[in-house]
Amino acid sequence: MDNNRSLVEIVFTLQTEQFISNDDYGVIKKALVFTQLFFSILGVITNAINIRVFLKQGVTTSSTNIAFMGLSIFDFFSCFMTIPLQACSFVDIIGDWRQGYICEHYNAYPMIIYAAFYNSSIWTTVYLSIEKSLCVMIPLKIKLILTPKVTFRIIMFIFILFSANRILYMASTRISWHVDSKTNLTLPAFIESPFANRFIYYNSLISTTILSSVAIVIVTIATIIMINKLNTYQQWRKKNATVALTSSASSPENSSETTRMSSKDAEMVKFVITVTCIFVACLTISHIPATVILAIPGISVSGSNRNILSVSYYIRFLFILINSSINFFFYIRVSTRYKTSFVEAFPSCSRMVSISK
């Protein structure tokens, strides 16, 4: 009985007391919006560099290059499409514009397009992790199956799939203009049809929650497989370090498909592992809003603690942008081939990068 009473008191407290005041929320929001804007701009710059480097390497030279090029393009536009909203919101906060909701209406369509690129980025990363896990398991066979042409078609299919459902939603919405009696300004209103409301609900449930959770599970399993196989390969190389690298020098067991993986392939696996680990960490954090709603009683959009929920969404969006913007720094640290291509593409930056021979 006492336990039930205590639980009721906790829920009542959470529903009535404001744990993040409006003043504190304003400060937190300002910091988060500024940080989001920073990573949006950083993502545009770093992914533009990535695109230039992968072009230098030759996009069609391998299926992995095509996938990384697709990933960089999707991340570039994911970051680019968010800049107007972040800049508009930041100006609103700093300048006390008091018409900040206009930003949401003006930028509604760019953010819908952003979602198509972001979801394409997620599943391109999933494809990369699956491809490389298969490469370390059956390297000779999978390279014959997942050719550059097949990879290109898969990446295009992913983009068309997520673009199509966003176009369907956009077709069910419209912007209507009206005169605001308080400000005497002509303002936009983003109007959704009943179909659009149902569509966005189920699309958010499926894409944002279910599919992203499935993506995390797939990428995690694939990464564990890659790490285990890479460790096995490295141990085999240590045992055979003093033996000539000829097929006759290896035992039948060591000449299997798994142990034939070249050092170049091993580096690429490390490359993909780095990307997928960043992906898993950031995408897991993006589930914070749902976790907050489920774990903390009394949290709702209209409740007294709506500021907590709002902050959790700002944090979620921040880590989405981080995931799309920082890959460059890990690429240039992990991959010798990327470093070499980066120096060739940007000779003036050669002093900034040390390339191990």
Side-chain angles (χ1 to χ4, degrees):
M1 189 70 177
D2 292 338
N3 291 337
N4 291 336
R5 183 177 299 173
S6 299
L7 180 60
V8 171
E9 290 175 354
I10 291 172
V11 173
F12 178 77
T13 301
L14 286 168
Q15 289 176 334
T16 55
E17 291 189 11
Q18 194 176 47
F19 285 87
I20 298 180
S21 66
N22 291 334
D23 291 338
D24 291 339
Y25 172 70
V27 174
I28 295 171
K29 180 181 177 181
K30 185 186 297 184
L32 288 173
V33 169
F34 176 79
T35 309
Q36 288 173 2
L37 179 60
F38 169 79
F39 278 104
S40 294
I41 297 172
L42 178 66
V44 169
I45 296 171
T46 55
N47 284 293
I49 294 172
N50 290 339
I51 292 170
R52 177 71 182 90
V53 171
F54 290 128
L55 284 173
K56 189 69 177 179
Q57 289 181 358
V59 180
T60 58
T61 55
S62 70
S63 60
T64 304
N65 264 30
I66 292 175
F68 271 113
M69 172 62 83
L71 180 63
S72 298
I73 292 173
F74 295 148
D75 284 340
F76 174 88
F77 283 104
S78 294
C79 294
F80 179 79
M81 299 305 292
T82 62
I83 290 178
L85 177 60
Q86 302 306 327
C88 186
S89 299
F90 188 66
V91 170
D92 173 40
I93 294 171
I94 298 299
D96 194 21
W97 185 20
R98 298 188 183 278
Q99 300 294 339
Y101 68 94
I102 299 178
C103 292
E104 299 177 3
H105 294 95
Y106 276 120
N107 292 289
Y109 289 127
M111 291 305 293
I112 293 170
I113 298 171
Y114 146 81
F117 283 107
Y118 171 64
N119 283 293
S120 298
S121 172
I122 289 177
W123 286 94
T124 300
T125 305
V126 172
Y127 170 78
L128 271 166
S129 61
I130 293 174
E131 182 206 20
K132 282 306 162 188
S133 65
L134 292 174
C135 279
V136 298
M137 295 172 66
I138 47 172
L140 298 183
K141 292 180 180 179
I142 200 63
K143 289 181 180 179
L144 297 176
I145 299 171
L146 295 179
T147 61
K149 184 181 291 186
V150 171
T151 298
F152 175 77
R153 289 174 178 173
I154 292 173
I155 300 301
M156 287 302 298
F157 173 77
I158 290 172
F159 178 66
I160 291 171
L161 178 65
F162 286 107
S163 297
N165 69 14
R166 295 295 163 177
I167 292 172
L168 185 63
Y169 171 73
M170 291 172 67
S172 305
T173 62
R174 63 187 177 88
I175 292 180
S176 177
W177 296 87
H178 69 282
V179 177
D180 186 4
S181 58
K182 294 181 180 180
T183 60
N184 200 30
L185 295 174
T186 302
L187 303 176
F190 191 69
I191 300 175
E192 299 175 331
S193 68
F195 171 79
N197 285 324
R198 290 194 299 271
F199 178 83
I200 200 65
Y201 172 79
Y202 289 110
N203 188 67
S204 297
L205 177 65
I206 295 171
S207 297
T208 306
T209 306
I210 298 175
L211 288 182
S212 62
S213 300
V214 171
I216 290 173
V217 172
I218 294 174
V219 170
T220 300
I221 294 172
T223 303
I224 291 172
I225 291 173
M226 285 189 283
I227 292 173
N228 288 335
K229 290 295 181 179
L230 185 60
N231 287 336
T232 302
Y233 169 68
Q234 289 176 335
Q235 290 172 5
W236 173 78
R237 287 195 69 190
K238 289 178 182 179
K239 290 179 181 179
N240 295 275
T242 57
V243 180
L245 298 177
T246 59
S247 57
S248 60
S250 302
S251 65
E253 180 181 356
N254 288 335
S255 62
S256 66
E257 287 185 340
T258 301
T259 56
R260 283 185 225 173
M261 184 172 59
S262 67
S263 58
K264 179 181 175 181
D265 290 332
E267 184 181 85
M268 181 56 70
V269 169
K270 289 182 181 178
F271 195 30
V272 175
I273 288 174
T274 302
V275 174
T276 52
C277 285
I278 298 168
F279 167 83
V280 169
C282 292
L283 198 60
T284 300
I285 293 173
S286 73
H287 284 69
I288 285 179
T291 305
V292 167
I293 293 172
L294 293 174
I296 305 178
I299 299 298
S300 66
V301 175
S302 58
S304 60
N305 276 301
R306 58 186 175 275
N307 289 345
I308 295 177
L309 186 61
S310 182
V311 167
S312 71
Y313 273 103
Y314 277 108
I315 293 173
R316 173 187 182 272
F317 192 52
L318 173 60
F319 275 89
I320 287 174
L321 291 171
I322 290 174
N323 177 57
S324 298
S325 61
I326 64 172
N327 281 338
F328 162 78
F329 301 102
F330 293 92
Y331 291 174
I332 205 163
R333 182 178 178 84
V334 174
S335 175
T336 302
R337 186 186 179 198
Y338 185 93
K339 292 177 187 177
T340 303
S341 300
F342 174 79
V343 171
E344 292 175 355
F346 304 97
S348 59
C349 300
S350 57
R351 293 182 180 181
M352 299 168 54
V353 181
S354 59
I355 303 175
S356 56
K357 300 295 184 180

